[in-house]
Amino acid sequence: MNAVHKSADEYIGNKYRIIGQIQKWFPANIDLMADIFCGSCDVTFNTKVSEHIANDLNFFVIEIYREFQEPGIDTAVERIDQIIRDWNLTKEDKGAYERFRA
């Protein structure tokens, strides 16, 4: 198995630790991967196919992935970094996070 890439978000029940156990049941050549309980998309991100479908009951998660996908990863990371700077978000300042969230 190739190197496993961990999703940036922590999601309860993520499958990062068991990807190898899951993928051993996948066919050798897959054209379409449908991850019906994608959560943090650890399995989706670590399965090489030409087309992915990611679904989850928590539609907010899917919306976040769509927001990252549309502009491309470099633009998405740039936007996130700018938000962190604009709101002075740090691990130590819970108040800044709460103001941003509101």
Side-chain angles (χ1 to χ4, degrees), residues 39-81:
S40 62
C41 279
D42 284 316
V43 176
T44 301
F45 294 153
N46 286 285
T47 304
K48 293 186 183 206
V49 298
S50 55
E51 185 176 1
H52 290 93
I53 297 173
N55 185 57
D56 199 273
L57 182 62
N58 184 346
F59 64 90
F60 293 115
V61 172
I62 301 304
E63 289 301 317
I64 290 169
Y65 293 133
R66 284 189 181 132
E67 287 296 319
F68 287 146
Q69 185 179 23
E70 288 177 21
I73 191 66
D74 292 333
T75 302
V77 169
E78 195 175 296
R79 286 181 185 169
I80 292 167
D81 287 342

Side-chain angles (χ1 to χ4, degrees), residues 13-55:
N14 73 52
K15 301 169 197 82
Y16 174 74
R17 290 183 187 91
I18 61 170
I19 288 173
Q21 296 171 33
I22 294 169
Q23 288 182 332
K24 74 179 182 182
W25 297 101
F26 289 1
N29 295 309
I30 306 171
D31 294 322
L32 171 66
M33 197 297 201
D35 193 347
I36 58 172
F37 304 109
C38 68
S40 62
C41 279
D42 284 316
V43 176
T44 301
F45 294 153
N46 286 285
T47 304
K48 293 186 183 206
V49 298
S50 55
E51 185 176 1
H52 290 93
I53 297 173
N55 185 57

